[in-house]
Amino acid sequence: MWCRSLAGLLGLPARRSGSSSGSSSRAGSSRGIISSPGIISSPRISSPGISSRRPVGPPSGPGPVLAAAARWHHTAPESLQCAWQLHRDHLELSYAGTLMRWRPDGHVTRYGLEWLVKNSYEGQKQQVMQPRILWNADIYHQAQVPSVDCRSFLETDEGLKEFLQNFLLYGIAFVENVSPTKEDTEILAERISLIRETIYGRMWYFTSDFSRGDTAYTKLALDRHTDTTYFQEPCGIQVFHCLKHEGTGGRTLLVDGFYAAEQVLQRAPEQFELLTKVPLKHEYVENVGGCHNHMIGVGPVLNVYPWNNELYLIRYNNYDRAVINTVPYDVVHRWYAAHRSLSTSRTSPIRGSWPCLVLSLLLRALPLLPQALFVDNWRVLHGREAFTGYRQLCGCYLTRDDVLNTARLLGLQA
């Protein structure tokens, strides 16, 4: 009876849906609709977010469910209605998307309309987890994305925020005037994240000396790919810093994998879906010197959030892809067709290849110092041209969670 008393206190009408005599249309519950425009004249109801308080409890005795016009503030649009439902143990009131429930202990929960819309399933379907700007070489060059100076990056929140904003939007970002040492590169990396130690160590430093069972340790050209696809969770961010190069060639090739995937989605959505469904094995076997490793990672080429189909990870490496034996033969045949669509682009300036951005990570003429490049390994593919001469590179992998954590603490959406 306390529910009906509370309904009377709030001024809800006695008319209920499904019954002219006031009996419930369903055992244990009653329903009603307030057809006249209005809203309970309490400023707490329209406040954003969720909050709770304990008001004065409902009357203890039974009472008629009567309209109380003095408790309504008639400013809502004519199209809005206030509906209520009386359950066995609580009263539920909804108005224009605001939902409130009262229980016997007097506890009141309030939801702001904006918060409800934003956090509803339909609301989440319309939102993206991370805003991005998709690019090919022309788009990126026209955007004229600035690099961030090393001192500003290390010493100011403004410089760090500018760098992270570029990185989140484009999946790549540059820091200028970095001293060409492994130690300075490490300081740079630790500014935004913990360094992820892997089978390659914490900070890697290498030349083309064939010291590891990886084609990166050669002078050969490398097609575009993402790293550590043979990890169950591929590394999130990769740092490159060219310390020295006495020779020719070796330019870095970068591809926005999400841009390429979007082209597939627009032209052949069934192929896009197939690339999100078929799990592939990627494998790395190494027996060189004192290094002995056998890594296997499994996952589809494209990974999307199921509620909004937003792409968040591309796992692409033809060097490390193992035998496709996780799906029937007819699916394998269709998968290769879908993979071919992803690997080629009609908008590419180079026929039959990805729409790539070609960059040079070579030392610049003095007195300028080289750039350090940060790459989103879950989005951007990298490769290189073959090169001659002696070249030293250093870098590391960063934990993705910590990079995004740093960005959110600076007020960025990540």
Side-chain angles (χ1 to χ4, degrees):
M1 299 303 295
W2 69 269
C3 288
R4 294 187 181 182
S5 300
L6 182 57
L9 181 65
L10 294 174
L12 302 179
R15 181 168 62 86
R16 300 170 184 166
S17 61
S19 173
S20 59
S21 62
S23 60
S24 172
S25 61
R26 183 191 303 175
S29 68
S30 301
R31 295 179 180 175
I33 297 177
I34 300 173
S35 56
S36 60
I39 185 168
I40 297 175
S41 58
S42 168
R44 297 187 299 272
I45 294 176
S46 59
S47 60
I50 300 179
S51 60
S52 300
R53 63 172 293 158
R54 294 182 180 275
V56 177
S60 58
V65 183
L66 301 175
R71 297 184 181 276
W72 297 93
H73 184 49
H74 299 281
T75 58
E78 289 287 340
S79 60
L80 297 181
Q81 289 185 332
C82 182
W84 62 274
Q85 185 171 359
L86 187 60
H87 300 270
R88 291 184 182 274
D89 63 344
H90 73 278
L91 175 70
E92 181 173 294
L93 175 68
S94 62
Y95 173 79
T98 300
L99 181 65
M100 295 168 285
R101 295 186 179 93
W102 288 268
R103 297 188 180 277
D105 63 357
H107 187 79
V108 178
T109 300
R110 297 179 291 107
Y111 298 86
L113 294 178
E114 183 179 349
W115 186 93
L116 280 172
V117 171
K118 179 181 178 181
N119 289 279
S120 68
Y121 174 69
E122 292 299 325
Q124 288 298 301
K125 285 175 63 176
Q126 304 302 319
Q127 298 186 51
V128 295
M129 292 289 289
Q130 181 182 321
R132 297 180 175 91
I133 297 176
L134 306 185
W135 51 267
N136 58 16
D138 292 336
I139 294 172
Y140 187 84
H141 286 308
Q142 290 173 10
Q144 296 183 335
V145 184
S147 300
V148 176
D149 181 75
C150 181
R151 176 169 293 184
S152 176
F153 176 86
L154 292 175
E155 298 178 2
T156 71
D157 286 346
E158 291 76 13
L160 179 61
K161 185 174 182 178
E162 181 184 1
F163 168 87
L164 286 170
Q165 183 68 84
N166 293 339
F167 180 81
L168 292 173
L169 289 176
Y170 294 96
I172 57 174
F174 298 88
V175 180
E176 295 271 7
N177 302 321
V178 185
S179 298
T181 69
K182 184 174 73 171
E183 292 73 23
D184 285 289
T185 308
E186 183 175 2
I187 293 172
L188 206 69
E190 290 179 328
R191 173 68 165 135
I192 62 171
S193 173
L194 298 175
I195 295 175
R196 178 174 176 179
E197 188 162 0
T198 67
I199 58 175
Y200 302 105
R202 188 170 182 274
M203 291 290 300
W204 36 260
Y205 175 87
F206 68 91
T207 63
S208 53
D209 58 2
F210 303 94
S211 60
R212 299 295 300 264
D214 191 298
T215 48
Y217 292 76
T218 71
K219 297 181 180 180
L220 301 175
L222 298 179
D223 196 10
R224 284 131 291 195
H225 62 278
T226 60
D227 272 18
T228 61
T229 53
Y230 40 80
F231 286 10
Q232 201 58 36
E233 180 184 311
C235 293
I237 288 89
Q238 187 165 11
V239 182
F240 290 103
H241 191 187
C242 183
L243 307 181
K244 187 176 184 180
H245 185 199
E246 299 170 346
T248 62
R251 289 186 302 174
T252 294
L253 312 175
L254 298 172
V255 173
D256 186 354
F258 286 9
Y259 176 90
E262 179 67 19
Q263 306 309 303
V264 177
L265 178 62
Q266 296 300 322
R267 295 197 305 264
E270 71 285 352
Q271 292 187 336
F272 179 94
E273 183 178 9
L274 189 63
L275 292 171
T276 69
K277 300 295 185 184
V278 176
L280 301 178
K281 292 180 182 178
H282 291 79
E283 190 169 11
Y284 177 72
V285 179
E286 180 183 28
N287 289 291
V288 176
C291 301
H292 305 282
N293 296 288
H294 188 176
M295 310 288 292
I296 296 178
V298 181
V301 173
L302 304 179
N303 296 259
V304 299
Y305 295 122
W307 61 87
N308 64 356
N309 210 40
E310 178 184 349
L311 182 62
Y312 68 89
L313 183 154
I314 180 169
R315 187 191 296 251
Y316 187 101
N317 194 317
N318 290 330
Y319 298 111
D320 299 324
R321 192 175 73 233
V323 175
I324 304 178
N325 54 14
T326 53
V327 290
Y329 171 76
D330 63 314
V331 178
V332 174
H333 184 76
R334 290 189 290 116
W335 181 89
Y336 272 112
H339 187 268
R340 186 179 302 109
S341 295
L342 179 66
S343 302
T344 59
S345 173
R346 298 172 187 173
T347 62
S348 172
I350 305 175
R351 186 175 181 179
S353 65
W354 295 71
C356 65
L357 172 66
V358 181
L359 298 169
S360 175
L361 292 184
L362 309 184
L363 283 170
R364 296 183 175 189
L366 294 177
L368 294 177
L369 295 173
Q371 295 177 321
L373 167 65
F374 290 69
V375 177
D376 185 345
N377 190 55
W378 283 20
R379 171 183 173 179
V380 175
L381 288 69
H382 65 276
R384 72 165 184 235
E385 297 176 341
F387 66 92
T388 66
Y390 180 76
R391 189 168 88 155
Q392 289 180 341
L393 264 78
C394 77
C396 60
Y397 296 115
L398 304 181
T399 58
R400 186 177 189 81
D401 288 337
D402 289 284
V403 173
L404 300 183
N405 176 51
T406 302
R408 294 185 192 111
L409 291 175
L410 290 171
L412 300 173
Q413 183 177 348

